[in-house]
Amino acid sequence: MALRNILTEEDPTLRKVSRPVTKFDDRLHELLDDMAETLEDARGVGLAAPQVGILRRVVVVDVGEEILELINPEIISQSGEQTGLEGCLSVPGKYGIVTRPNVVKVRAQDRFGAWFEAEGEELIARAFCHELEHLDGHLYVDKVERFLTQEELEELANEAEDET
């Protein structure tokens, strides 16, 4: 396994549409393993293959107790609404308010090609939507309602410190 370089928003690769995965081989498994390691190292919630320069429909999401691998994912249902803070490993230092569905169900393939469904609420639902948008060349900054100011970010950081 190896850490991959995370592209930032000025890289045009992030604005391209990813192609479906058709080969479920060692190369894909290496990409998935590297993405999981990169995600953990960056302390993120999700990572899409375009963020590491690979235009394939591959996403990893940290669902708490494990890293969920989604290959060729698609949203099959969504409900409710949540508005909250969102950031992106490809847009370091910027955070904004984004409205997303509160519950999202996806259909995807695992690393061996078997289809499965996964459902997430709140943060996981947000991560599913955010990461799948990367596969179509979109960034959260395209739909942000407003960015947080430096003062607001400092206030959130202070509140987080107070909680520990």
Side-chain angles (χ1 to χ4, degrees):
M1 292 198 308
L3 292 178
R4 303 267 181 136
N5 183 43
I6 298 174
L7 304 179
T8 54
E9 69 179 311
E10 56 277 347
D11 193 304
T13 303
L14 293 173
R15 295 301 188 164
K16 295 181 178 175
V17 176
S18 297
R19 295 181 303 278
V21 171
T22 56
K23 289 184 179 178
F24 295 81
D25 56 10
D26 290 342
R27 195 166 168 196
L28 172 65
H29 299 175
E30 181 181 343
L31 172 64
L32 287 162
D33 293 342
D34 290 355
M35 286 176 62
E37 185 175 347
T38 302
L39 178 64
E40 288 178 18
D41 182 71
R43 303 179 92 168
V45 177
L47 186 67
Q51 292 179 272
V52 294
I54 307 296
L55 289 172
R56 290 287 185 257
R57 300 188 80 75
V58 176
V59 165
V60 293
V61 176
D62 184 345
V63 294
E65 58 279 346
E66 66 178 336
I67 301 286
L68 182 62
E69 300 172 343
L70 303 170
I71 297 139
N72 299 322
E74 57 189 48
I75 294 173
I76 57 173
S77 70
Q78 56 189 16
S79 62
E81 185 177 272
Q82 60 171 311
T83 299
L85 185 64
E86 199 160 315
C88 180
L89 297 174
S90 291
V91 188
K94 284 186 182 177
Y95 297 89
I97 304 299
V98 179
T99 299
R100 302 264 190 203
N102 196 51
V103 179
V104 174
K105 183 185 280 190
V106 295
R107 181 174 188 261
Q109 290 171 281
D110 67 17
R111 65 173 47 216
F112 303 105
W115 287 97
F116 69 95
E117 292 180 3
E119 186 172 275
E121 295 181 28
E122 297 174 354
L123 180 61
I124 303 305
R126 179 175 296 279
F128 285 167
C129 293
H130 178 112
E131 299 309 328
L132 269 64
E133 286 179 355
H134 275 297
L135 303 179
D136 292 321
H138 302 294
L139 299 174
Y140 91 97
V141 297
D142 300 337
K143 64 183 337 166
V144 71
E145 295 165 26
R146 75 173 184 84
F147 288 104
L148 270 64
T149 64
Q150 190 59 40
E151 294 78 24
E152 289 172 312
L153 290 172
E154 289 170 7
E155 188 177 311
L156 283 173
N158 290 336
E159 287 175 11
E161 280 182 17
D162 291 344
E163 291 177 8
T164 57

